[in-house]
């Protein structure tokens, strides 16, 4: 009986120890899995550090012994892979005196991290000193008791970025020096037109320093007569992104205003305006010369007007005397003289008109007349003198206008004579009278001559502007006809414009209001 009891007891103990074994086995497998996971993570972490492009090393103890160094830093050191275990300055003695030892000591002994950007370091690679730039982080590393045991280093080789940055800085410096050296006044403004830079010429001219130039509203330097126009045109350019181009007077350090040609162009990035570059060139001498030229022309025109008008009278007298004498050989020559005298008279009147405009004395005598008939008469007169031309007239619109008949005639004659003058090889001119929306009537004169380049299209309406080319010499003129035409049409509240292609010809058009008020 006792034996049976013993056996039972033993069986019970066996079952219990089996269960305990199972529990231990379970725990063991759990620990093994956790261990494997940890190993896996350490492996991943190590391979991440080893393969990283960042330069990573751990320097142990006061000697900064290389405890660990990843592939990237070993490559940059260029001293082979058996550097681990050696003190840093034994491996790279050349960097000791470049401040590195000081930084490492500071981190190791004071326990404070140190960071540096674009730090230049020269080190010996295969016998050659190579200068590189690094972003550095030196961090103290602690043991479980909180004592510093070494320095962790993470660095990045930023040599190419630093060199690029240095290049950009150098070229910016060169640009500034070049801009300061220039006699032109150069300024830069942001996308909204607020100035951010003025060159030395500005400082010299205004007597203000850079800060004062930037603080003083620009507009204060512009002559009050021109400030409104400048503001309007600048607003328009800022809105449209179109170049700014105007003449205005700017105040100098002595308080005198001098004429300048002011130009601004928009700098764009992907079509978006990022800034504006402006140049102002002094044209005071040019303006004074222009004034002298104008005064001289005014004087000459006054002096010539009377004799030329009387020549015309005598020519007409002679023409009427020989009118019925069919065999008189002087007849064609008299017509030629008349044509030339007409030209001269027109030129003289243009000169006199110039000074009238200057004094704001160009008045309009408006009357009702048929624009169609007026055009027909003008064409008849011109064809009478220019026998070899072919002028076509298209009456798309027929009706009366209220305008200054002579002045409108002057514009039309200017358009037609220019069309003939600037068409040496093709004497065909097409003229059209047409009606525009908004109650405007228009006249366009189309030729097939030399045409005008895009850059000159708006400038030909300026006083004395002539397209500069060899043609300027070939085609006689003073560059005032279109200026006067523009003034006349503006005074009629109309519009004048031109479309042209070099080599294809030009089409000059004016529009005037049709209303009879
Ligand atoms: P001018 O003909 O006396 O020089 P304008 O004021 O009439 O003066 O014209 C200004 C400039 O515009 C001319 O010098 C010429 O270069 C250009 N121009 C005017 N009309 C034409 C045209 N039909 N074809 C080509 N160029 C023209």
């Amino acid at each position: 009986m006792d034996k049976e009891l013993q056996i039972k007891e033993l069986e019970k103990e066996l079952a219990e120890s089996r269960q305990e074994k199972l529990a231990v086995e379970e725990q063991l497998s759990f620990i093994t899995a956790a261990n494997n996971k940890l190993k896996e993570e350490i492996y991943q972490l190590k391979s991440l550090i080893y393969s990283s492009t960042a330069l990573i090393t751990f320097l142990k103890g006061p000697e900064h012994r290389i405890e660990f160094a990843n592939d990237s830093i070993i490559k940059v050191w260029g001293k082979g892979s058996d550097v681990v275990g050696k003190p840093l300055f034994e491996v790279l003695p050349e960097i000791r005196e470049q401040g590195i030892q000081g930084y490492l000591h500071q981190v190791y002994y004071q326990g404070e991290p140190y960071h540096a950007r674009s730090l230049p370091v020269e080190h010996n690679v295969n016998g050659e000193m190579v200068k590189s730039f690094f972003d550095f982080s030196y961090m103290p590393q602690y043991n479980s008791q909180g004592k510093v045991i070494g320095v962790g280093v993470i660095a990045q080789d930023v040599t190419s970025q630093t060199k690029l940055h240095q290049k950009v800085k150098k070229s910016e410096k060169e640009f500034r020096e070049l801009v300061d050296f220039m006699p032109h006044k150069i300024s830069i403004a942001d996308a909204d037109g607020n100035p951010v830079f003025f060159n030395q010429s500005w400082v010299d001219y205004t007597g203000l320093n850079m800060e004062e130039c930037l603080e003083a509203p620009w507009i204060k330097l512009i002559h009050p007569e021109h400030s409104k126009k400048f503001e309007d045109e600048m607003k328009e350019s800022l809105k449209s992104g179109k170049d700014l181009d105007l003449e205005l007077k700017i105040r100098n350090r002595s308080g005198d205003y001098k004429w300048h040609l002011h130009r601004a162009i928009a700098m764009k990035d992907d079509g978006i305006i990022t800034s504006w570059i402006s140049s102002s060139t002094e044209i005071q001498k040019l303006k004074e010369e222009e004034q002298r030229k104008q005064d001289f022309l005014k004087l000459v025109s006054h002096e010539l007007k009377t004799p030329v008008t009387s020549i015309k009278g005598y020519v007409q007298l002679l023409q009427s005397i020989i009118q019925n004498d069919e065999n008189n050989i002087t007849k064609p020559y008299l017509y030629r003289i008349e044509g030339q005298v007409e030209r001269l008279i027109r030129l003289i009147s243009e000169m006199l008109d110039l000074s009238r405009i200057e004094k704001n004395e160009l008045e309009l005598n408006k009357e009702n007349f048929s624009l169609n008939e007026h055009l027909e008469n003008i064409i008849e007169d011109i064809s009478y003198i220019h026998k070899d031309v072919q002028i076509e007239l298209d009456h798309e619109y027929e009706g009366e206008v209220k305008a200054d008949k002579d002045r409108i005639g002057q514009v039309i004659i200017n358009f037609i004579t220019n069309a003939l003058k600037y068409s040496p090889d093709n004497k065909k001119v097409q003229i059209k009278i047409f009606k525009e929306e908004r109650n405007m009537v228009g006249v366009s004169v189309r030729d097939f001559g030399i045409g005008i380049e895009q850059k000159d299209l708006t400038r030909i309406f300026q006083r004395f502007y002539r397209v500069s080319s060899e043609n300027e010499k070939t085609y006689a003129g003073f560059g005032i006809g279109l200026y006067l035409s523009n003034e006349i049409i503006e005074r009629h509240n109309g519009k004048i414009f031109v479309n042209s292609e070099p080599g294809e010809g030009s089409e000059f058009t004016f529009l005037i209001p049709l209303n009879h008020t």
Side-chain angles (χ1 to χ4, degrees):
M1 188 62 192
D2 270 357
K3 266 194 176 174
E4 257 178 44
L5 204 72
Q6 267 182 336
I7 288 168
K8 270 195 179 160
E9 288 272 308
L10 279 172
E11 274 176 351
K12 196 179 158 204
E13 272 176 30
L14 196 66
E16 275 173 8
S17 64
R18 269 200 192 120
Q19 244 172 348
E20 271 172 23
K21 186 184 167 226
L22 270 175
V24 169
E25 273 175 357
E26 207 174 299
Q27 259 182 342
L28 210 62
S29 84
F30 179 75
I31 290 169
T32 317
N35 203 11
N36 285 345
K37 194 164 172 255
L38 201 66
K39 269 189 188 161
E40 183 67 21
E41 277 174 5
I42 289 173
Y43 177 77
Q44 279 172 4
L45 219 60
K46 270 195 169 176
S47 62
L48 186 74
I49 291 172
Y50 270 104
S51 61
S52 167
T53 54
L55 315 174
I56 304 171
T57 185
F58 172 51
L59 307 170
K60 201 171 176 193
E63 283 183 299
H64 312 302
R65 197 170 285 277
I66 302 165
E67 179 82 2
F68 159 88
N70 76 347
D71 296 347
S72 301
I73 202 162
I74 284 182
K75 204 164 150 213
V76 168
W77 285 340
K79 304 286 156 111
S81 52
D82 60 344
V83 291
V84 176
K86 296 182 184 168
L88 179 72
F89 298 117
E90 197 177 286
V91 177
L92 300 164
E94 65 273 21
I95 67 164
R96 187 196 293 266
E97 303 310 323
Q98 294 177 43
I100 307 287
Q101 191 180 31
Y103 303 139
L104 286 174
H105 275 10
Q106 191 182 321
V107 176
Y108 183 78
Y109 291 112
Q110 293 177 7
E112 278 172 18
Y114 176 79
H115 306 282
R117 293 199 129 255
S118 298
L119 192 79
V121 178
E122 275 186 70
H123 68 286
N124 192 327
V125 179
N126 302 327
E128 214 185 296
M129 290 304 274
V130 177
K131 185 176 184 178
S132 306
F133 296 84
F134 299 95
D135 285 352
F136 275 112
S137 281
Y138 291 165
M139 285 147 312
Q141 303 294 305
Y142 301 92
N143 63 10
S144 50
Q145 283 86 50
K147 186 175 174 294
V148 177
I149 51 159
V151 180
V153 178
I154 299 181
Q156 196 79 42
D157 187 345
V158 290
T159 308
S160 49
Q161 291 98 305
T162 308
K163 286 195 171 158
L164 188 73
H165 185 65
Q166 283 175 344
K167 258 193 191 169
V168 171
K169 264 176 100 173
K170 183 170 169 274
S171 80
E172 194 192 320
K173 189 166 174 271
E174 282 170 356
F175 162 76
R176 279 190 189 245
E177 274 174 21
L178 176 81
V179 161
D180 275 343
F181 176 67
M182 283 165 83
H184 302 271
K185 298 169 187 73
I186 307 288
S187 62
I188 301 176
D190 64 16
D192 300 323
N194 306 309
V196 292
F197 169 78
F198 286 92
N199 74 342
Q200 191 59 35
S201 280
W202 267 115
V203 172
D204 294 344
Y205 181 79
T206 56
L208 304 171
N209 62 34
M210 173 72 93
E211 282 72 40
E212 288 168 332
C213 278
L214 291 172
E215 274 165 22
W218 213 82
I219 203 87
K220 279 196 179 159
L221 297 171
I222 297 172
H223 196 284
E225 258 176 38
H226 303 149
S227 53
K228 163 103 178 56
K229 187 166 176 5
F230 171 74
E231 268 189 309
D232 290 350
E233 294 210 9
M234 193 172 86
K235 265 188 209 147
E236 175 58 33
S237 284
L238 286 174
K239 211 164 76 186
S240 64
K242 279 196 192 142
D243 297 355
L244 186 70
D245 191 337
L246 74 165
E247 292 179 358
L248 37 81
K249 283 190 197 166
I250 304 174
R251 198 175 63 211
N252 68 11
R253 54 168 63 222
S254 343
D256 299 328
Y257 287 93
K258 302 275 177 204
W259 276 103
H260 281 76
L261 173 66
H262 181 77
R263 284 192 176 146
I265 52 163
M267 296 283 104
K268 292 181 185 166
D269 195 4
D270 266 342
I272 294 168
I273 297 176
T274 51
S275 58
W276 288 85
I277 296 188
S278 310
S279 97
S280 300
T281 313
E282 192 173 322
I283 50 166
Q284 182 66 22
K285 284 212 169 74
L286 223 75
K287 279 279 174 188
E288 283 166 7
E289 256 168 45
E290 197 178 280
Q291 187 59 45
R292 274 198 290 276
K293 183 172 161 187
Q294 209 173 307
D295 291 347
F296 172 72
L297 289 175
K298 200 168 88 188
L299 187 84
V300 172
S301 327
H302 264 296
E303 293 303 314
L304 284 178
K305 200 178 170 194
T306 323
V308 169
T309 319
S310 75
I311 292 175
K312 188 183 173 189
Y314 286 118
V315 170
Q316 283 172 343
L317 181 70
L318 285 174
Q319 277 174 332
S320 67
I321 293 172
I322 59 166
Q323 198 177 12
N324 300 323
D325 181 357
E326 291 301 322
N327 300 323
N328 194 316
I329 57 158
T330 58
K331 230 179 181 176
Y333 301 114
L334 276 178
Y335 283 117
R336 281 207 188 165
I337 295 174
E338 194 193 9
Q340 296 301 329
V341 170
E342 279 291 349
R343 259 187 75 186
L344 212 55
I345 289 176
R346 214 165 43 236
L347 196 66
I348 293 167
S349 335
E350 282 181 351
M351 299 297 172
L352 293 172
D353 282 348
L354 261 191
S355 54
R356 283 195 193 108
I357 288 176
E358 267 224 323
K359 291 191 212 142
N360 214 4
E361 285 173 2
L362 191 90
E363 281 176 9
L364 298 182
N365 298 314
K366 290 195 182 175
E367 60 183 298
N368 283 326
F369 67 95
S370 155
L371 192 56
N372 308 70
E373 272 174 30
H374 194 36
L375 249 166
E376 273 171 7
N377 292 336
I378 291 171
I379 294 171
E380 201 179 308
D381 288 348
I382 292 178
S383 310
Y384 185 69
I385 299 167
H386 301 270
K387 299 275 186 243
D388 56 338
V389 304
Q390 182 196 342
I391 304 179
E392 294 167 6
L393 175 59
D394 181 4
H395 298 275
E396 259 184 31
Y397 168 79
E398 285 196 42
E400 285 208 330
V401 286
K402 183 163 189 177
D404 186 320
K405 194 173 170 188
D406 287 343
R407 292 291 179 197
I408 293 295
Q410 192 178 335
V411 177
I412 297 170
I413 292 170
N414 185 237
F415 279 7
I416 302 178
T417 47
N418 274 350
L420 297 172
K421 182 159 77 170
Y422 297 105
S423 306
D425 306 320
N426 190 333
K427 295 291 178 204
K428 189 161 103 173
V429 178
Q430 291 172 338
I431 305 175
K432 195 167 71 181
I433 308 185
F434 58 96
K435 183 154 180 271
E436 265 271 309
E437 54 194 304
R438 285 181 291 113
N439 229 14
M440 302 280 262
V441 64
V443 174
S444 66
V445 176
R446 164 107 176 87
D447 66 58
F448 301 87
I450 59 169
I452 304 162
E453 281 191 46
Q454 190 71 27
K455 67 175 175 46
D456 294 309
L457 283 183
T458 50
R459 307 184 130 200
I460 53 174
F461 295 100
Q462 292 170 6
R463 191 173 47 177
F464 297 130
Y465 190 84
R466 308 204 69 223
V467 174
S468 67
S469 67
E470 294 154 17
N471 293 340
E472 201 180 345
K473 294 177 196 101
T474 326
Y475 306 103
F478 284 100
I480 48 174
L482 288 178
Y483 169 70
L484 289 179
S485 301
N486 187 30
E487 289 288 326
I488 291 168
I489 297 302
E490 272 190 2
R491 279 170 162 73
H492 278 87
N493 297 323
K495 273 201 288 190
I496 194 165
F497 50 90
V498 56
N499 288 314
S500 188
E501 274 292 321
E504 301 285 321
S506 315
E507 185 175 49
F508 283 83
T509 306
F510 71 78
L511 301 172
I512 50 170
L514 197 53
N515 59 35
H516 291 239
T517 51

